[in-house]
Amino acid sequence: MKMIRHTLVVIALVMVAAACSSASEGVEVSDPWGRPSPSSASNAAFYMQLEGSDTDDRLVSAESPACQVVELHETQMSDGVMSMQFLPEGIPVPAGETVSLEPGGLHVMCLGVTEALVEGESATVQLQFEESGLVTVDAEIRQS
Amino acid sequence: MTKWLIIVGGSVLAALLVGLAGWFVVVPRLQPQVFNAQVMQGVDAPDIELQGSNGQPVSLADFEDQVVVVYFGYTFCPDVCPITLSKLARARAMLGDDADDVQVVMVTVDPERDTPEVLREYAARFDPTFLGLTGDPADIDRIATIYGVYYQTVDTESKAGYLVDHTSTVMVIDRSGELKLLVSFDATDDEIAEDLSYLVS
């Protein structure tokens, strides 16, 4: 009986551990970067890869001490005409999928650069996800 | 009889020589230069007279005998415009000394926000020789229309206030003032450099 109880406790602990580890595995952000930009009323963009976890998630907003306002945007090209869409609903990151934020597509838009983005340095960007919570990354400042 | 042979033989030889010479002179010229970009034929580039980010009035005529690369964009644009301008800067850098014969100008499609000062700082981010052009909205409208460039101010919920949809194509004017190439947004640094180097050489 004691043996069974011990086994149950062990099983319970393993399950708790498993639950904890899966909960902490949120969206993984890799290769965050942006182009150099002086500090002025100018705008900039940050790019990165968002690797989905095992649950559907969504990048809902972002902030950065280097920008007055940060928004999520998407560039669309149609017949050679470029248009930029503001994404008030954010960027969905489906489970198990990788979403690329890259030049000419989805991007984190930095409106009003307040701290110069200097090549070779980095800028802090805080990403707010629906499920994964707040993820802070350092975007490398480079040309491409 | 011998005389005839000399005349006929001589004529044939002469004809052959002329033909051969012609083949060497004309054929290389007839061979089409394969540009990476879309080639326009025989279109004189309409003049552009606007206010330059250098504080001076700028006209296309100022760049006589240079290759002029014209891009319509705006400084508020954080994605496509920097991509294009940094590609042009890298392509120009690849030309070495010939780069002096290439002038890149960006005509703003957002004259309300893009003053010469704003444009100067923006253009210099990519290449100190790049010129931004701005002016009266009606003049910009007219120039964009004759260059076949579409742009449209779009209101948005974004804090940006408004954004401008615009044609992303880059236009290249050759040394003789002809609108020669239309470079699409997808062109690579290498492709642009190759086309420019042919036009400056």
Side-chain angles (χ1 to χ4, degrees), chain B residues 47-102:
Chain B
D47 200 11
I48 296 175
E49 282 182 289
L50 288 168
Q51 186 64 38
S53 53
N54 55 0
Q56 311 280 323
V58 171
S59 155
L60 275 189
D62 300 344
F63 312 118
E64 207 181 347
D65 204 35
Q66 277 187 297
V67 171
V68 186
V69 179
V70 185
Y71 178 62
F72 290 78
Y74 68 121
T75 68
F76 233 70
C77 155
D79 186 38
V80 164
C81 305
I83 296 171
T84 305
L85 291 169
S86 54
K87 262 196 287 202
L88 292 175
R90 287 193 297 269
R92 190 175 171 277
M94 285 182 210
L95 300 179
D97 291 344
D98 285 340
D100 293 340
D101 289 340
V102 176

Side-chain angles (χ1 to χ4, degrees), chain A residues 42-43 47 71 75 80 82, chain B residues 76 79 125 158-159 165-166 168:
Chain A
S42 66
N43 298 333
Y47 308 103
E71 292 177 345
T75 299
M82 184 288 296
Chain B
F76 233 70
D79 186 38
R125 275 194 234 175
S158 162
K159 295 277 193 306
D165 292 0
H166 65 94
S168 58

Side-chain angles (χ1 to χ4, degrees), chain A residues 1 10 12 44 47 50-51 62-63 72 81-82 91 96 118 136 142 144:
Chain A
M1 190 57 201
V10 167
Y47 308 103
L50 305 177
E51 217 177 294
E63 274 185 54
L72 305 172
V81 174
M82 184 288 296
I91 299 171
V118 180
T136 302
R142 58 178 202 240
S144 61

